[in-house]
Amino acid sequence: EEVITAYVRGDLNHDISDSVSLRGNVGLQAIYTDQSSASFRVDTGTNPDSVFEITDGKDYTDVLPQINLAFLLPDSQAVRVGISQQLARARMDQLKATEESGYNFATGEPGGSGGNPRLDPWKAWALDVSYEKYFYENKGYVSAAAFYKDLDTYIYNQTTDGHDFTALCETTPDAAFPPGVTKQCTGRFTQPVNGDGGYLWGMEFAASLPFDVFSDAL
């Protein structure tokens, strides 16, 4: 995975009134990603010495804007607002080019699983809002936050029926199956794929209480 990132950011520092100040930043990232995975396919059927190299992948570019605002209020209070387009890459094991397949010799049905080197990352527009109250010389605080993410794309494991296991079928002899069991060449296959649409939302509550409020010994 090769990643090149360019970004620009401007800071905000403005007094809105005598009691309210605005701090924050506005930025933009441009990210180019070139991902690939290489593996070896070993024929363990009729010709176990055959080895084939497999390489797959893709490249893509994302432009991610963001703005973060903090309104500093009287009495050590703050309201924070963030709007951004976010990206989370697939796990390395999800991007692997390898595939594992085999037979259920009791039923004659093949099955397998593998990675997907052509996965897009998780990508979403995100809105975050929080309220914070600080106390005891700003050593302690309580906060409440809410978040909403509008998903453009995400990653999930998909299992499909009727996957073509011709290569496995051709290299597995009929004699390997018990009498009365018919060898099949299609079955179920599981791999990570991209979905699109959907949303996530939630709320978070936090508190930090320094125990020396009660005693210096704590």
Side-chain angles (χ1 to χ4, degrees):
E1 199 173 61
E2 297 180 356
V3 180
I4 299 175
T5 303
Y7 69 91
V8 60
R9 189 185 78 176
D11 293 329
L12 303 173
N13 190 343
H14 181 66
D15 292 329
I16 297 177
S17 68
D18 292 340
S19 58
V20 179
S21 298
L22 171 64
R23 305 290 185 268
N25 55 65
V26 180
L28 185 73
Q29 289 188 87
I31 304 175
Y32 171 77
T33 303
D34 185 3
Q35 66 189 33
S36 63
S37 177
S39 65
F40 295 98
R41 176 183 169 194
V42 181
D43 186 342
T44 59
T46 57
N47 189 5
D49 294 327
S50 297
V51 179
F52 308 93
E53 184 175 2
I54 299 172
T55 302
D56 198 5
K58 69 180 300 183
D59 64 291
Y60 53 90
T61 301
D62 293 289
V63 178
L64 308 177
Q66 68 171 17
I67 180 170
N68 299 294
L69 304 176
F71 297 91
L72 308 182
L73 310 176
D75 300 322
S76 299
Q77 302 177 91
V79 173
R80 302 183 188 275
V81 180
I83 302 174
S84 63
Q85 192 167 32
Q86 300 177 343
L87 177 152
R89 304 182 190 283
R91 302 194 313 264
M92 285 294 179
D93 63 296
Q94 294 176 318
L95 293 171
K96 65 183 180 180
T98 56
E99 173 184 321
E100 298 80 38
S101 58
Y103 268 101
N104 181 338
F105 289 97
T107 64
E109 183 182 7
S113 63
N116 184 356
R118 302 186 65 80
L119 281 176
D120 289 320
W122 289 71
K123 196 172 178 182
W125 280 98
L127 170 64
D128 296 272
V129 180
S130 68
Y131 165 79
E132 301 167 1
K133 167 63 178 177
Y134 295 87
F135 58 89
Y136 191 57
E137 300 177 351
N138 291 336
K139 294 180 181 179
Y141 70 88
V142 292
S143 70
F147 66 87
Y148 177 84
K149 297 182 186 295
D150 185 10
L151 298 174
D152 292 328
T153 182
Y154 57 93
I155 298 170
Y156 72 103
N157 284 332
Q158 181 186 71
T159 300
T160 56
D161 291 314
H163 182 80
D164 186 2
F165 288 96
T166 298
L168 176 67
C169 188
E170 292 177 346
T171 58
T172 305
D174 294 342
F177 297 86
V181 176
T182 302
K183 179 177 66 173
Q184 303 174 44
C185 295
T186 59
R188 307 185 77 186
F189 187 77
T190 301
Q191 71 175 153
V193 297
N194 286 114
D196 55 13
Y199 63 91
L200 299 170
W201 71 273
M203 300 189 69
E204 302 169 342
F205 301 93
S208 175
L209 180 63
F211 283 180
D212 60 352
V213 171
F214 308 107
S215 169
D216 290 339
L218 300 176

